[in-house]
Amino acid sequence: MSERPSPWAITWAFFAAVMLMIAGAFQLIAGVVAILEDEFYVVGREWTFQFDVSTWGWIHALLGVVLVLVGVGILTGNLAARIVGVIVAGLSAIVNFAFLPWYPVWAIVVIAIDIAIIWALTAHGRDVEAVDA
């Protein structure tokens, strides 16, 4: 007889999946804006990662699509999606750290969401699998 997972734990795992999809949508929006309107983001200081704004746009757009797909995978209880979710959320945090000079408040918000996703997936992701079993 297996023990039923805590409803709170399941809630946090689903929170991570939904937040991955929301963070993906945020990344996609930031990417599309950068691709379509080069003048929207303005750099205030010199920074190590001096990519063209359109390059940042494509990075954010591709990362956004991956985040949304991984979020959907986590909702199905897929272990591989959970592992990729932690990796991609970490990558998203790193990308947004590098993006700080272009849109600092937005980047900090997305980094905070990424940290919450990583915590929820590592602490409670296994509980989604227990529900599906």
Side-chain angles (χ1 to χ4, degrees):
M1 179 181 203
S2 65
E3 187 177 315
R4 290 186 51 83
S6 161
W8 283 103
I10 295 168
T11 301
W12 278 111
F14 281 111
F15 164 82
V18 171
M19 290 308 291
L20 268 168
M21 291 185 284
I22 290 171
F26 285 170
Q27 297 279 22
L28 195 55
I29 290 168
V32 169
V33 168
I35 292 166
L36 297 178
E37 184 60 52
D38 280 353
E39 307 286 316
F40 183 80
Y41 297 112
V42 178
V43 179
R45 295 184 182 166
E46 291 297 316
W47 197 256
T48 303
F49 301 103
Q50 292 293 328
F51 295 137
D52 178 57
V53 175
S54 293
T55 303
W56 277 116
W58 284 108
I59 290 169
H60 282 287
L62 293 173
L63 188 57
V65 169
V66 171
L67 286 167
V68 170
L69 293 174
V70 169
V72 171
I74 290 169
L75 285 176
T76 66
N78 187 318
L79 173 63
R82 205 172 80 226
I83 293 167
V84 172
V86 171
I87 293 167
V88 175
L91 180 62
S92 173
I94 293 167
V95 165
N96 278 285
F97 178 77
F99 191 65
L100 278 170
W102 282 270
Y103 216 52
V105 175
W106 182 267
I108 290 169
V109 167
V110 175
I111 290 169
I113 290 171
D114 291 332
I115 291 169
I117 290 166
I118 292 168
W119 175 81
L121 288 177
T122 56
H124 302 293
R126 187 172 316 158
D127 297 316
V128 174
E129 289 176 0
V131 171
D132 291 338

